[in-house]
Amino acid sequence: MEVFLTIALMSATTVSDYPFRNTSLPWKDRVNDLVSRLTMEEIKEQMSRGGAGPNGGPAPAIPRLGIKPYSWNTECLRGDVGAGNATSFPQAIGLAATFSPSLVFSVAEATGIEVRAKFNDYMKHGLYGDHRGISCFSPVINIMRDPRWGRNQETYGEDPILSGILAEHFVKGLQGNNSRFIRANAGCKHFDVHGGPEDIPVSRFSFDAKVSERDWRMTFLPQFKACVKAGSYNLMCSYNRINGVPSCANDKLLTKILRDEWNFSGYIISDESAIENIITRHHYLNTSAETAAACIKAGCNLELSSNAADPVYYAMLDAIKQGMLTEDVVRDRVKPLFYTRMRLGEFDPPDDNPYTKLDLSVLQSKAHQELSLKAAMQSFVLLQNKNGFLPLKKSVYNKIAIIGPMANNTEQLFGDYTPTIDLSVTTTPLQGLKELGKEFSYAPGCDSNACTKYYSAEIEKTVTGADVIVACLGTGQILEREGHDRADLEWPGKQLQVIQDAVKYGKGAPLVVFLFNAGPLNLTWVYSNNDVNAMFEVFFPAQATGEAMRRILTNQQDGDVPAGRLPNTWPKYIDDVPPITDYTMEGRTYRYFKGEVYYPFGFGLSYTSFEYTEMTTPIRVKAGDDVSGEIVVRNSGKYDADEVVQIYIWWQKSSVPVPQLQLVYVDRVRITRETSANVKFTVPAERLAVWHDGTGWVIEEGMYGISGGGQQPNQKVKVDSNVLTSEFQVIGTAFLGMS
């Protein structure tokens, strides 16, 4: 239940002379002045109220200082989540599939604009509460390390470098580029070594992720470092333990790595109930006082409780009395909270802050709706297109059949953590595609996405006599989401029979399959069946789903050509994947996977073809220097289209275990047919480094392989383009230290 507080606007005439409101002073001096005026009781309240009302938040007002309440809990994953009118962009895994940092920046920018506009309106009316702030619990940058994990849809896929690049652009897009103020602050989560299980076979609330130092450093930390480097004001510590120590009480994670090595100066908020769970689920500590002391000393600034009237951080004063914690440490921990609020503009004159001018007219603006459509189209991954069946050769067919449980299932098209659905701007597959036929027929075939009840006769009737059949299948948040893993990769219920009956009763009518899911499915039957003419992975495209499908199927405007790429490996056999509770990276993701795949990471077809004609890279590079190069790619096909240029490196000989391949650069470029693009790239030196236990990051001397193309090198499943390979030598050794 949402409870909102209405607070009368307080006069600041009696407090306007406090130094913390003096805009000519340095930020540090202003924060120090404000915190010095707080009582320990007030600090306790500020650090204990990171959640929703009536008890979990907002952080209460401090009337004697003219300080208003503040709501810390806003979700901004791909739009303003669960907070009324807002533009809904494709789910994060779909944004990752665009392989477009600039698009992620634009989506985050639009999200930040709408979140700030609504916040301004709430402030105008003195409203505070759940999802009414401008401090975001976004983005989610955990690695998609296991295809069964319920929260894969919220991530940017399986690669730490790609996740870090997209996180960087999200943070900068959301927070804005004003030199003094931030529009809304980012919060990268869940820190760290977090990626399942949710509930199968054990609960996330008590799970202990046992990870090697090398896997931790080379897979689970790089994207968070990129987030910090981009300027995020917040990280959220995760539910799990890491090698026995809960994340939110983990001094190595929150202080030694985050603050000492990376120089992070922002705040850490706990995941909801994560601090309580240290006592009740992990049984790591026994009392609230010792738990508050451990978390605060480790570096957790703010508790997000389960709406508790008596949160764990309330015991901080008792911990001080018992000598487990000092007042100085507590005062230091509250400072980043007020620094963030200052940078958001709370203690400066509103007229000085350009973001206070944003109003509700920006919500679902024409520009944002067009961006949502563009993002959806760019997220579509074409997996199969036999004999160049697509794009459709006719603008209108006599009859089109649209089938499957996702064909008109509005809510499930959005995925988890979605903005409030606005039906007036939403198109389902049925709504988007029915105009492609002089007549259309529709049948879901299933009672729900779970498809426990299947109606074969309904499918037979619908596809009979159709010129084209479009099947819309998948999972949705009822089957994979936060708190709910999948036990395997099988089709839900009898969904596969929808396709089989479409083939059986369609009597040769072309069949196009759209998959709406995050984790992979068992494609054995579909993959090998020649009656399936084309297949897309589209994840959860949100409000523009139907319109995006129509434009991509028809290439409505020249250049409406699919160019999405899989941000994850699609394994053939789940037995090739380690148990979800095993946190070794061996056998996981394209970087370490040894098994067979339906489709590799970075795979995606196009309606056109590309030819990589030349790649220039240095022959020798001094250890510690960046690697710069250039690659020439020609659109040799019939359509204007985007191409996703992927640069990979591999270590030909290393003294320590390393990934078999590593993406180091990516760019999405538009290339007009029968023209070429020269793409210049730079590989930062740190992406060549490997982790040495006891020494830190080292760029080793020796030979490195490098490839450039539209997919990974040496793949059995190929796109319609080539891959160029070369090698270069690193001269000398560079020791980069622990950071």
Side-chain angles (χ1 to χ4, degrees), residues 21-22 41 53 81 94 122 190 203 227 247 265 286 302 380 391-392 404 453 486 494 496 507 523 716 725 735:
R21 295 187 183 275
N22 185 342
E41 185 70 26
V81 176
Y122 297 142
H190 309 81
S203 170
C227 171
S247 296
S265 59
N286 297 317
L302 184 60
F380 287 8
L392 295 175
K453 293 182 181 179
R486 291 190 298 154
K494 296 186 177 182
L496 178 58
K507 300 188 184 306
L523 295 180
K716 293 181 180 178
T725 61
F735 297 91

Side-chain angles (χ1 to χ4, degrees), residues 158-455:
E158 71 183 32
D159 183 73
I161 301 300
L162 178 63
S163 295
I165 292 170
L166 299 182
E168 172 194 350
H169 284 76
F170 183 97
V171 169
K172 291 179 178 179
L174 185 81
Q175 294 187 168
N177 59 5
N178 186 273
S179 61
R180 182 171 182 82
F181 300 106
I182 52 175
R183 183 167 45 224
N185 76 272
C188 297
K189 64 182 185 182
H190 309 81
F191 196 55
D192 188 36
V193 197
H194 184 77
E198 293 290 299
D199 63 338
I200 300 174
V202 296
S203 170
R204 60 180 174 160
F205 298 124
S206 57
F207 181 68
D208 185 8
K210 299 183 185 301
V211 64
S212 70
E213 188 73 17
R214 180 169 292 108
D215 281 345
W216 194 2
R217 296 284 184 162
M218 293 192 69
T219 296
F220 297 105
L221 285 172
Q223 64 276 30
F224 284 97
K225 182 181 178 182
C227 171
V228 170
K229 191 174 180 179
S232 180
Y233 280 69
N234 166 236
L235 273 71
M236 175 183 281
C237 54
S238 54
Y239 285 120
N240 55 287
R241 282 171 284 160
I242 303 173
N243 297 330
V245 182
S247 296
C248 294
N250 198 310
D251 177 73
K252 177 179 179 179
L253 178 69
L254 303 185
T255 294
K256 291 183 173 62
I257 293 174
L258 182 60
R259 291 184 168 93
D260 295 345
E261 295 181 16
W262 299 353
N263 298 314
F264 178 68
S265 59
Y267 67 96
I268 296 291
I269 188 170
S270 74
D271 207 339
E272 186 174 352
S273 304
I275 291 178
E276 301 160 43
N277 291 347
I278 292 173
I279 302 169
T280 61
R281 306 297 291 266
H282 292 291
H283 307 293
Y284 182 77
L285 295 169
N286 297 317
T287 69
S288 291
E290 60 184 340
T291 302
C295 294
I296 292 169
K297 286 194 294 184
C300 184
N301 308 79
L302 184 60
E303 179 179 6
L304 175 57
S305 76
S306 60
N307 203 18
D310 187 24
V312 173
Y313 269 20
Y314 262 28
M316 68 175 67
L317 302 186
D318 189 29
I320 292 172
K321 290 178 183 177
Q322 296 183 45
M324 294 185 284
L325 188 62
T326 67
E327 181 177 328
D328 286 345
V329 169
V330 173
R331 287 188 179 276
D332 279 343
R333 291 293 182 257
V334 82
K335 287 178 181 179
L337 302 181
F338 283 102
Y339 174 70
T340 301
R341 291 169 67 171
M342 280 188 183
R343 295 301 302 273
L344 288 165
E346 181 175 343
F347 303 109
D348 282 32
D351 288 344
D352 292 353
N353 185 347
Y355 300 128
T356 62
K357 313 298 189 298
L358 292 168
D359 60 34
L360 299 183
S361 66
V362 302
L363 305 182
Q364 285 283 10
S365 67
K366 181 179 179 182
H368 289 180
Q369 289 183 35
E370 290 175 348
L371 179 61
S372 180
L373 173 60
K374 175 183 177 181
M377 293 169 61
Q378 290 199 4
S379 72
F380 287 8
V381 181
L382 181 60
L383 300 176
Q384 291 185 15
N385 190 23
K386 293 174 182 174
N387 301 315
F389 174 70
L390 295 178
L392 295 175
K393 305 306 185 286
K394 295 181 180 180
S395 57
V396 179
Y397 289 81
N398 287 328
K399 179 182 177 181
I400 183 169
I402 305 161
I403 61 173
M406 291 294 283
N408 201 36
N409 194 344
T410 304
E411 182 180 351
Q412 298 301 309
L413 297 171
F414 283 72
D416 209 0
Y417 281 90
T418 177
T420 303
I421 296 173
D422 182 348
L423 294 178
S424 70
V425 295
T426 298
T427 55
T428 67
L430 174 62
Q431 292 167 333
L433 302 181
K434 64 184 181 180
E435 300 301 325
L436 296 180
K438 294 177 182 177
E439 62 176 286
F440 72 92
S441 55
Y442 157 69
C446 300
D447 57 337
S448 69
N449 282 14
C451 204
T452 54
K453 293 182 181 179
Y454 175 65
Y455 308 101

Side-chain angles (χ1 to χ4, degrees), residues 611-618 627-633 645-650 677-681 683 704-709 713 722-728:
E611 180 185 4
Y612 287 81
T613 59
E614 183 180 0
M615 181 171 69
T616 305
T617 57
V627 179
S628 295
E630 185 173 3
I631 194 165
V632 181
V633 55
V645 179
Q646 304 170 48
I647 306 295
Y648 294 87
I649 62 105
W650 56 95
N678 290 44
V679 179
K680 295 181 179 180
F681 61 87
V683 180
Y704 292 69
I706 185 168
S707 73
N722 59 318
V723 175
L724 301 178
T725 61
S726 186
E727 62 181 14
F728 60 91

